[in-house]
Amino acid sequence: MRRAGGARRRWGLAGKVLVTVVSVVVLTAAGYGWSTFRALAGSIVTSDVLSDGTTASGSPSRTITALLVGVDSRTDAQGRPLPQDVLDRMHAGPDDGQLNTDTIMLLRIPADPAKPVVAVSFPRDSYVKLAGDYGTHKINSAYGRAVTDAKRTLEAQGVTGAALQRQAQEAGRKELVATVSQLTGIVVDHYAEINLAGFVELTDAIGGVPVCLTEPVDDARYSGAVLPAGPQTLDGAEALAFVRQRHGLAAGDLDRITRQQAYMAGLAHTLLGGGRLADPATVQRLLGIVGRYVVLDQGWDLDQLVDQVRRVSASNVEFHTIPTVRSDLYTPGDGVAVQIDPATVRSFVRSTLDGLPVPPTTGTSAGATPSTAPPTAPSTATPSTARTTTPTGPAMTTRAPTTGATTRPPTTPPTTGAPTTTVRPITGATVPCVS
């Protein structure tokens, strides 16, 4: 891993999921020059996660697909331990030695500026076959399993400290990229990763992010989320709790993805409509956060990214979620997981990223469940509209439901049947109310 720099102008997709795409647009519109971009490029930590030759080549304005990852790590981008006060704000709890990816998302940035930027989320508990010899487990464990194995090897070679953490996480990144590509059939062109501590600082740096809740929540024991109902602006620690909560949500991990997408809609709305990035002091704070907490692959090209996203608007950014079979799959060694049908997911992801109609599919559990998992009844594995409502307020005036995965209470067996809702994604144009 090394810092980006040199004669070539490199740029990265940074921030929590879409923040850098949006930031580049606003910075360009606000008149920030190449020196600002070069300053950011010189501070970012880069990774050779895509050094195995799988990165697609093409013209400077070609369509690209990036894997965006939020990591629940206790170190910064350089592998240095986070201060205790930062961990306290994150409600990190005891260190159990595990390193998981709380956010996994594919982002398609089209060469045609008239087409939308499209993001597809993967529930962290999706039960999938991991790349290599790791077997079938929750997708969020791919990164951590490879890190654990790499640490054993590196420690035996005498590697210690921050170098050990950095090199082990390189293995984790490569395993996650390989697993997502294996599941979806999509070639990953670029990679961006942010530590959850960076997520907290990022939110604070822009003055908070607007969200809306249909009812109050009290999850102080787990995520730390204690929030009232209605429209509100969250600071960094509150926003992290908002997107991490699972306990008390009817669909658990699937509802958490809806929360994450609602946050990102508020983020896009704030950055594009609130004028935050017209403030040089805010920009400088963001540059520092990116340098401390963001890791990118080495291949991002500044000219290409600026050219492709300078005309992106908040209403032209869409968030989708892969279809699922059930959210209460009992597994041999991973507890309760989210069951998916790989063929259905592959078809959905390819169609959604390409802007094509998603073909109606009737998946069965056979495609998603390994022979060691308990049998389940067939299910219609199609996306459905998540629960959203229209709040009042200047930033929240248009209904924007999200494409969510099929969800059912744990006690309800899977059923068959055609979807009865019109699928529309969350966009950055509004801030939807979510449960």
Side-chain angles (χ1 to χ4, degrees), residues 247-259:
H247 297 277
L249 301 181
D253 192 33
L254 304 181
D255 277 349
R256 177 160 66 172
I257 281 186
T258 301
R259 290 274 193 93

Side-chain angles (χ1 to χ4, degrees), residues 15 44 73 76 78 106 109 117 135 166 171 211 234 241 265 279 290 321 334 345 365:
I44 272 184
S73 172
D76 64 14
Q78 289 80 22
L106 280 175
I109 305 175
V117 173
R166 287 197 303 270
V211 301
L234 306 182
D279 175 22
V290 169
T321 305
D334 290 44
V345 168
S365 61

Side-chain angles (χ1 to χ4, degrees), residues 106 108 178-188 342 345-347 349-350:
L106 280 175
R108 172 65 57 84
T179 295
V180 172
S181 294
Q182 174 180 277
L183 172 63
T184 63
I186 299 294
V187 174
V188 175
V345 168
R346 178 172 289 220
S347 175
V349 171
R350 296 186 72 89

